[in-house]
Amino acid sequence: MTDVGGPMAGEKKRPVRRTTVADVAKLAGVSAMTVSNVLNAPHRVSEPTVRTVQAAIDELGYTPNHAARALSSGRSQVIGLPLYLEDETFSDQNPGLGGFLHGLLGGLVKSAAVAGYGVHVTTPTEGATEIALYEKLIAARQVDAIVVLETMPHDPRLEFLSSRGFPFVAFGRTGHDQRQCWVDVDNEKSMAGIARHVRGTGRLRAAYLATDSGLPWVHQRQAGFLQEFTSPHSLQSFGSLDAVAGFVESALGRPDSPDVFVADNDAFAVVAMRALQQRGVKVGEDVAVTGFNDFPFASMLDTPLTTARIPLRDIAACLFTRALSEINGDADQPGRLVTAPLIVRSSA
């Protein structure tokens, strides 16, 4: 029986030619350099051009030869995301943090993949410091840049990376004497938006529930709140969820009890709502409650939570674009603030 669909006996099967950058450039109507920039440094190319080139890549099924590119450039085509996770990081006192990291990591991986990069997530071994992990990554040439999370004033991690001249990008602001390669939430403006909203609903006796921490975002959000409530009913800091519940319960029943609890995170807000509901208070009617972050559970509560949504995917895309800029040695640019939009739900 003859196989009419196959090659003739003795005939050699022609190898399928690999699609090249030149093929993509021809279809997209751009230069090969533009295609290379879309793949390696999309921040240098206009959004319409990126979309045109990406459509050509998808149509042709072009797959960049990352191994060859890494070999010729001396780069790993990987960025590092070290996470210093203490034992209590995912404890009951930090509900929702897993969702925060998942959203940030997912956005970073997606943005990196478009440019042919990977993301190496790692954490220091027990007893080791984050800086020691940086040294290991740099010495082994495992990554082309490092993403630093939750920066602090005079952050030793940034000082170390700056002294080594190693590319990095920060989620959180860098010092004035360092490269401004950072992306951060505009916590002050975003919290001021929440406070302005609750004032607009007629709530004037506001109790502010702050995280007991020295992290910059804590103070930035409090400053935003005080822009609208210069003389709040109370302003307290808490180191545990139980302490928040105890404070809310003690504040009820007084003639001048708060008519709104403004929390600097969703976890504190949910605890406040539960304490109010256990006392028979109708959240959103008798007393309003707001949070900050918009963790996934915020919209699923019996009384959905009014909060500010941190746009993690947008932040991740900005972080990766800036990381590429640092890898390529581009001129320093100002850091970028991203507003967390107000999400109004039944709790306020």
Side-chain angles (χ1 to χ4, degrees):
M1 182 175 180
T2 303
D3 184 0
V4 297
M8 296 288 291
E11 180 182 353
K12 292 184 179 180
K13 189 175 181 180
R14 292 183 181 180
V16 177
R17 188 176 72 85
R18 182 184 180 90
T19 304
T20 66
V21 167
D23 297 325
V24 175
K26 183 178 180 180
L27 180 60
V30 299
S31 68
M33 179 59 73
T34 298
V35 175
S36 179
N37 280 335
V38 169
L39 293 170
N40 301 303
H43 59 288
R44 294 179 175 177
V45 186
S46 68
E47 280 296 327
T49 302
V50 170
R51 289 194 294 269
T52 299
V53 172
Q54 190 59 53
I57 289 172
D58 295 340
E59 183 175 337
L60 294 173
Y62 172 69
T63 304
N65 190 337
H66 301 313
R69 189 196 310 169
L71 207 59
S72 63
S73 67
R75 295 178 181 174
S76 66
Q77 300 296 123
V78 175
I79 61 170
L81 180 63
L83 300 177
Y84 190 63
L85 303 178
E86 298 177 344
D87 291 340
E88 64 269 20
T89 297
F90 295 100
S91 73
D92 292 339
Q93 301 302 328
N94 292 279
L97 183 58
F100 179 89
L101 292 175
H102 182 271
L104 183 66
L105 178 58
L108 201 57
V109 169
K110 183 176 180 180
S111 297
V114 171
Y117 262 76
V119 179
H120 178 50
V121 181
T122 184
T123 187
T125 56
E126 186 175 355
T129 65
E130 195 168 336
I131 289 178
L133 179 57
Y134 292 176
E135 289 179 323
K136 181 179 178 181
L137 292 173
I138 294 171
R141 299 183 180 179
Q142 290 180 280
V143 298
D144 297 332
I146 288 175
V147 180
V148 184
L149 303 181
E150 288 195 325
T151 59
M152 297 284 288
H154 311 294
D155 196 308
R157 298 171 300 172
L158 301 184
E159 293 174 359
F160 169 78
L161 291 170
S162 296
S163 69
R164 294 292 296 270
F166 193 79
F168 70 89
V169 62
F171 187 8
R173 297 161 218 194
T174 62
H176 295 298
D177 58 340
Q178 295 167 332
R179 287 182 66 84
Q180 298 303 295
C181 47
W182 57 265
V183 181
D184 198 13
V185 177
D186 194 337
N187 290 290
E188 189 168 332
K189 181 179 179 180
S190 302
M191 181 59 82
I194 293 176
R196 193 177 308 115
H197 167 72
V198 297
R199 280 180 62 87
T201 63
R203 309 284 179 172
L204 301 177
R205 300 189 307 278
Y208 188 75
L209 312 177
T211 302
D212 186 10
S213 170
L215 289 171
W217 64 262
V218 173
H219 305 290
Q220 292 160 5
R221 293 179 191 179
Q222 183 172 305
F225 169 77
L226 291 174
Q227 287 181 21
E228 299 295 324
F229 288 92
T230 54
S231 300
H233 178 278
S234 63
L235 197 155
Q236 302 287 332
S237 297
F238 305 93
S240 72
L241 301 182
D242 290 341
V244 174
F247 171 77
V248 173
E249 291 172 1
S250 67
L252 297 176
R254 301 174 183 171
D256 64 340
S257 61
D259 60 7
V260 58
F261 289 91
V262 178
D264 73 2
N265 66 85
D266 286 349
F268 281 10
V270 171
V271 170
M273 291 172 65
R274 184 185 304 138
L276 292 169
Q277 290 164 343
Q278 288 175 345
R279 295 287 296 271
V281 176
K282 294 181 179 179
V283 175
E285 297 180 27
D286 302 333
V287 178
V289 178
T290 66
F292 200 112
N293 286 331
D294 196 32
F295 287 145
F297 59 73
S299 63
M300 304 175 189
L301 303 168
D302 291 338
T303 303
L305 179 65
T306 291
T307 185
R309 175 178 295 161
I310 296 181
L312 291 172
R313 295 300 173 98
D314 293 343
I315 289 171
C318 291
L319 284 169
F320 180 74
T321 298
R322 191 57 193 263
L324 276 184
S325 180
E326 293 300 304
I327 292 168
N328 293 323
D330 294 343
D332 196 19
Q333 299 290 328
R336 180 168 178 181
L337 286 173
V338 179
T339 302
L342 174 67
I343 307 299
V344 177
R345 300 192 182 103
S346 304
S347 73

